[in-house]
Amino acid sequence: EAGVAQSPRYKIIEKRQSVAFWCNPISGHATLYWYQQILGQGPKLLIQFQNNGVVDDSQLPKDRFSAERLKGVDSTLKIQPAKLEDSAVYLCASSLWHPQETQYFGPGTRLLVL
Amino acid sequence: EDQVTQSPEALRLQEGESSSLNCSYTVSGLRGLFWYRQDPGKGPEFLFTLYSAGEEKEKERLKATLTKKESFLHITAPKPEDSATYLCAVLRANQAGTALIFGKGTTLSVSS
């Protein structure tokens, strides 16, 4: 079974530029999550989708971050404009339906903002 | 405020030297506790889920236990390939939704 796919794996941008990350969850998984992991910290949930609807985006900095999952499968996370403090690994995860079920993580996208 | 604290931050062991990692939590509406392993440059890999106090799960050299306030990950006779960061996360449910709250992790180094 294929795991969660993410691209790109690495991205370096200047502050105030925009960037987008892509995630393809495990086939059949209805729930998709985006996490931010700053160096030395545990992952922090940014947004949770169930199919193509947003379930929880309480931790998403909406003035600069946006995410969508238009057809209930793939998802994109965008940052515009980026700040230095956005340097982190952005992890995508998926689960069958409920968060109580196991969440499976992708390899992450490592973002460096200069 | 929901909080997950892991200790120690870093642990160095000799091969075969057993030890335990601690995860203490304060969370309203606990729905489960998860242990993940994270290797450098990779995403977290699922290890265990525990749902109620007294529950235990085992996998190879790892054993996870849960009480009402904390969880332990016991590592018996570790090998160098067990070197990784071990993350603890609690699933909390409140008005904002149901979400995993992660600790900062314990970085384990096992030398031969």
Side-chain angles (χ1 to χ4, degrees), chain A residues 41-58:
Chain A
Q41 306 283 321
K44 184 185 85 171
L45 179 69
L46 293 175
I47 189 167
Q48 176 188 337
F49 292 94
Q50 203 155 58
N51 291 319
N52 60 349
V54 175
V55 174
D56 183 354
D57 63 356
S58 57

Side-chain angles (χ1 to χ4, degrees), chain B residues 45-107:
Chain B
E45 176 188 345
F46 171 74
L47 293 173
F48 304 108
T49 308
L50 302 166
Y51 291 107
S52 56
E55 190 174 357
E56 298 182 352
K57 294 265 180 84
E58 284 189 69
K59 179 181 179 180
E60 296 180 353
R61 295 177 292 283
L62 300 176
K63 179 180 177 181
T65 62
L66 181 64
T67 72
K68 288 186 178 180
K69 293 184 178 181
E70 58 189 351
S71 176
F72 292 93
L73 185 65
H74 308 278
I75 304 176
T76 301
K79 298 182 178 181
E81 52 263 42
D82 294 323
S83 297
T85 296
Y86 291 85
L87 295 166
C88 169
V90 296
L91 188 69
R92 67 103 174 97
N94 61 19
Q95 291 177 339
T98 304
L100 277 181
I101 310 297
F102 280 86
K104 293 182 178 181
T106 293
T107 300

Side-chain angles (χ1 to χ4, degrees), chain A residues 100, chain B residues 2 25-32 90-94 97-99:
Chain A
Q100 197 163 355
Chain B
D2 299 328
Y25 59 90
T26 53
V27 62
S28 57
L30 178 71
R31 293 289 182 268
V90 296
L91 188 69
R92 67 103 174 97
N94 61 19
T98 304

